[in-house]
Amino acid sequence: TPAFAAHGADANGGQSGAAGAAGAEGSAFGLALTGPVPLSPKPAVASTSGTRRAAMLDEQRTKFLRAAGLDVAAAPGRSQARVAKLRVPGMQLAADAVRAHCSGGTGASNLLGARIGDKQLPVAPAPNTTIPVDLPKVGRVALVLNKQERTPNGTRVTAMELTAPLAHMGQEVMRVSSVTCASGARQGAPGGKAPSGANAPGGANAPGGANAPSGGNAVPGAKAPSGGKAGSSGKAPSAAGVGEAPRPNPVRHELAVTG
């Protein structure tokens, strides 16, 4: 049974009601079917503040699929959905676990023991991995793993989306473990303020700038000479950063000249 009451979510991962108007919202659901055999998202949560969770022991309301251990959680900046023991007999699809997670506008999907027909599915599929499969008595089935879509406020990640024809009835779309999360503000350093003006990288006082001392042994706190002159004596300081030696004083002395 659901652990928490939650705002509704449509099968595409969108939200309805007052929560959707807030803009920055996270959502998650375990399973959803659209087409001749409909199934509203189960379990489903959505949140504009804080974290909401929901769980179900199993889902066997239709003959199309079976699943157990459905668990979802959502907050505006983070969400996840997990489905265990997924079985879709008519599509020869099975997975021991299917998980999608999203944080700060980025997300990923993971599959455990997943197969369709005779094909083993990857554990960590790349975004929008598409696998076309021809199944007996069904026809061409399109399976998208780790489907990622941009939304006005962030990202939607669906671990598994299956589109299959159901004879003359039309196409059936199944979504497993789908989440959305809002994009977070990203800054260079937490709580830090970027330097500006003359002290910014490339500025006049920055290393390598017009007023910066040259050489690798500049003395902290020293002021670099301006105008390109090394100093009043016209001699540049030594490379080691040591001052000039004292100027020698000549000594006048007469020596006797012998023949």
Side-chain angles (χ1 to χ4, degrees), residues 85-110:
K85 298 181 181 179
L86 176 68
R87 301 291 185 268
V88 188
M91 302 297 144
Q92 302 180 30
L93 176 65
D96 294 333
V98 181
R99 177 176 180 259
H101 57 95
C102 185
S103 178
T106 60
S109 302
N110 302 103

Side-chain angles (χ1 to χ4, degrees), residues 224-248:
S226 59
K229 296 181 179 181
S232 59
S233 65
K235 297 182 179 180
S238 65
V242 181
E244 294 183 33
R247 186 182 184 90

Side-chain angles (χ1 to χ4, degrees), residues 9-10 24-25 37 48 54 62 64 83 86 93 108 137 148 170 175 177 182 185 194 201-202 207 209 217 222 230 253:
D10 62 31
E25 181 181 45
V37 183
T48 55
T62 73
F64 188 82
V83 175
L86 176 68
L93 176 65
K137 300 181 181 180
Q148 302 207 8
R175 296 179 177 88
S177 295
N217 298 316
H253 186 71

Side-chain angles (χ1 to χ4, degrees), residues 137-203:
K137 300 181 181 180
V138 176
R140 175 58 61 95
V141 173
L143 178 63
V144 182
L145 306 178
N146 193 20
K147 183 176 181 179
Q148 302 207 8
E149 305 167 276
R150 300 301 298 177
T151 69
N153 298 308
T155 302
R156 176 184 299 125
V157 181
T158 303
M160 187 181 291
E161 182 178 281
L162 176 73
T163 303
L166 293 185
H168 62 280
M169 295 186 293
Q171 285 192 335
E172 184 77 10
V173 179
M174 178 189 72
R175 296 179 177 88
V176 184
S177 295
S178 184
V179 297
T180 66
C181 66
S183 298
R186 298 180 182 272
Q187 299 179 355
K193 184 177 181 181
S196 60
N199 294 325

